Amino acid sequence: MKARVTVTLKTGVLDPQGKAIEGALRSLGITGIAGVRQGKFFEVEVDAADEAAAEATVKAACDRLLANTVVENYRVEIAR
Amino acid sequence: MKARVTVTLKTGVLDPQGKAIEGALRSLGITGIAGVRQGKFFEVEVDAADEAAAEATVKAACDRLLANTVVENYRVEIAR
């Protein structure tokens, strides 16, 4: 089973990398970008009997390693 | 308008970072993960008149800066 994990910074957490990207886009002449926030993305291949088991495994991986839940949120989508 | 951009490595491109994550999850005792591929994620706030214009701006940003299209694919979703 395939899972798609998106990790994003919580609202209010500063994102200097996103700000740098915004500045770089402006220097490249790309206008109309009002803000950029950078996150992480993982495609995880899970061996599990059903969707619920797959989601539990991936959530454990997020809590233990993929996301820092103090400053980051994560979202797990299981591909059917 | 908000856009969500996902940048992933093309099929066949080696992903040592994903392999390292796989190994780390195994060391943490999380079993059932058969593979991990790492990508990037961006939330982009766009000033545009309509969805098509927003998508064009974000695609230009991807082609010029956010993705290396030699080895990476990107996907743009415009939030309604």
Side-chain angles (χ1 to χ4, degrees):
Chain A
M1 223 167 282
K2 263 217 156 66
R4 299 161 52 85
V5 178
T6 321
V7 178
T8 49
L9 285 171
K10 288 186 179 172
T11 317
V13 176
L14 291 179
D15 181 10
Q17 202 174 353
K19 286 280 163 215
I21 293 168
E22 250 178 85
L25 288 171
R26 214 169 298 125
S27 322
L28 285 172
I30 296 170
T31 53
I33 304 278
V36 179
R37 304 267 294 165
Q38 160 124 45
K40 286 177 287 182
F41 178 78
F42 305 93
E43 262 169 354
V44 183
E45 183 65 46
V46 199
D47 289 330
D50 54 38
E51 246 176 61
E55 197 170 333
T57 302
V58 175
K59 281 189 170 171
C62 289
D63 285 322
R64 302 275 312 271
L65 186 73
L66 301 181
N68 174 358
T69 53
V70 177
V71 290
E72 291 171 329
N73 293 320
Y74 64 82
R75 211 176 57 153
V76 176
E77 291 165 69
I78 306 288
R80 271 122 249 245
Chain B
M1 224 166 281
K2 263 216 157 67
R4 299 160 52 82
V5 178
T6 321
V7 177
T8 48
L9 285 171
K10 288 187 179 171
T11 317
V13 177
L14 290 179
D15 181 10
Q17 201 172 356
K19 285 279 163 216
I21 293 169
E22 249 179 87
L25 288 171
R26 215 169 297 124
S27 324
L28 285 171
I30 295 169
T31 53
I33 304 278
V36 179
R37 304 268 295 167
Q38 159 124 46
K40 285 177 286 181
F41 177 78
F42 305 92
E43 262 168 354
V44 184
E45 182 66 45
V46 199
D47 290 329
D50 54 37
E51 246 176 64
E55 196 170 333
T57 302
V58 175
K59 282 189 169 169
C62 289
D63 284 323
R64 302 276 311 270
L65 186 72
L66 301 181
N68 173 358
T69 52
V70 177
V71 290
E72 291 171 331
N73 292 321
Y74 63 83
R75 210 176 57 153
V76 175
E77 290 165 70
I78 306 288
R80 272 121 248 247

